[in-house]
Amino acid sequence: QKEVEQNSGPLSVPEGAIASLNCTYSDRGSQSFFWYRQYSGKSPELIMFIYSNGDKEDGRFTAQLNKASQYVSLLIRDSQPSDSATYLCAVKPNQGGKLIFGQGTELSVKP
Amino acid sequence: GAGVSQSPSNKVTEKGKDVELRCDPISGHTALYWYRQSLGQGLEFLIYFQGNSAPDKSGLPSDRFSAERTGGSVSTLTIQRTQQEDSAVYLCASSPGQFYGYTFGSGTRLTVV
């Protein structure tokens, strides 16, 4: 079992729809959770982080964390073509100082 | 500086040559990380420096890879006797500490021919 798992996609949604990106992790003691966006040919950019169970909203983005289910998600409301990118889930496990990244989910928003 | 700076942005080298990749983190960031990303793949952890602690080298794929961080700031990743499978984008990131998210540099694209 991979430490951090994401569906690779591609996930295709129409412009204006809600895009839902999901991530599961194996280390139950994981403490911090991050979502990065990576445009093709560019480096990852931090867009959201969440530490506590529940929802955290920032503009059109909402991160959701359920530690009991070891599940974290990212919702993008009113999706725009400019949201088309690969979204990487990253988890800080209980031990060690580095983030563990998932393989990423490719999102395509169609006009 | 304002962001994480990496150099060179592109490097083409012949198989068997040594290369050095440089990373200048955000001023004041105590943690520095090296990852690599092969085409279409996820991020592979290489090495992590936190303050004056011993680095976490657990991700280095072979003894041809080494890294140092001088004065708690600039870091150099060295790959000796490069092989074609070393071709990838090498990403450096820094953070204020291990509980924070990273800021990535723009990467060094290494091509071994």
Side-chain angles (χ1 to χ4, degrees), chain A:
Chain A
Q1 181 190 8
K2 292 182 180 176
E3 292 182 82
V4 179
E5 293 204 54
Q6 298 180 252
N7 290 327
S8 61
L11 173 66
S12 184
V13 301
E15 184 174 357
I18 296 175
S20 178
L21 304 161
N22 305 316
C23 173
T24 58
Y25 59 95
S26 60
D27 183 349
R28 185 170 289 278
S30 296
Q31 303 171 353
S32 324
F33 307 85
F34 304 85
W35 283 99
Y36 286 82
R37 178 177 61 201
Q38 186 173 26
Y39 292 115
S40 181
K42 302 295 185 182
S43 57
E45 170 193 14
L46 179 65
I47 54 171
M48 288 286 289
F49 61 89
I50 187 166
Y51 301 141
S52 304
N53 275 329
D55 295 359
K56 179 181 179 183
E57 186 174 319
D58 183 1
R60 296 187 295 113
F61 298 96
T62 299
Q64 299 176 316
L65 175 62
N66 184 327
K67 288 186 178 181
S69 300
Q70 295 174 239
Y71 177 91
V72 58
S73 65
L74 178 71
L75 301 179
I76 306 175
R77 290 182 300 281
D78 187 25
S79 295
Q80 301 297 308
S82 58
D83 295 326
S84 298
T86 296
Y87 289 80
L88 299 166
C89 172
V91 175
K92 168 143 186 351
N94 189 37
Q95 297 294 328
K98 61 187 181 288
L99 295 183
I100 307 299
F101 285 83
Q103 290 293 101
T105 297
E106 182 184 352
L107 173 66
S108 177
V109 181
K110 303 295 186 184

Side-chain angles (χ1 to χ4, degrees), chain A residues 31-32 34 36 38 41-46 51 88 92 96-104, chain B residues 33 35 37 40-43 45 48 56 58 91 98-107 109:
Chain A
Q31 303 171 353
S32 324
F34 304 85
Y36 286 82
Q38 186 173 26
K42 302 295 185 182
S43 57
E45 170 193 14
L46 179 65
Y51 301 141
L88 299 166
K92 168 143 186 351
K98 61 187 181 288
L99 295 183
I100 307 299
F101 285 83
Q103 290 293 101
Chain B
Y33 310 82
Y35 285 76
Q37 189 172 36
Q41 301 298 309
L43 273 70
F45 167 75
Y48 153 53
D56 176 354
S58 61
L91 291 164
Q98 63 175 306
F99 296 103
Y100 298 85
Y102 303 166
T103 300
F104 282 91
S106 55
R109 181 175 299 278

